[in-house]
Amino acid sequence: MHPEGSELVVCTDGAMTLVQEIGGEEVRTELRAGEYAINDAGVWHTADVRKRATALFVTAGMGMQIRAG
């Protein structure tokens, strides 16, 4: 989770699922090569890769928090 700013996630090859926790609910967004999504500031998130993917993450890293789990 990045409290200081949003994060851009661009899938450049393969496929991945962006998993976000929004309003207490899990929201899953499928990304294929050339597609992108935004993790808004303060939103807990992770990425799920089933086979293979390459992605670019542009992150506001200040204050980044990690949840054990």
Side-chain angles (χ1 to χ4, degrees), residues 2-7 39-42 59-60 62:
H2 313 280
E4 298 297 323
S6 298
E7 176 181 52
N39 288 315
D40 289 330
T59 305
M62 296 262 313

Side-chain angles (χ1 to χ4, degrees), residues 2 4-7 9-10 13 17-20 24-25 29 32-34 37 39-42 44 48 54-55 58 68:
H2 313 280
E4 298 297 323
S6 298
E7 176 181 52
V9 180
V10 182
D13 189 41
T17 303
L18 182 66
V19 183
Q20 300 169 309
E25 300 289 325
T29 304
R32 293 184 186 358
N39 288 315
D40 289 330
W44 288 102
D48 194 9
T54 303
V58 180

Side-chain angles (χ1 to χ4, degrees), residues 34-61:
E35 298 179 330
Y36 73 94
I38 302 291
N39 288 315
D40 289 330
V43 171
W44 288 102
H45 59 276
T46 190
D48 194 9
V49 179
R50 298 279 179 206
K51 292 183 181 178
R52 186 181 75 77
T54 303
L56 170 69
F57 297 84
V58 180
T59 305

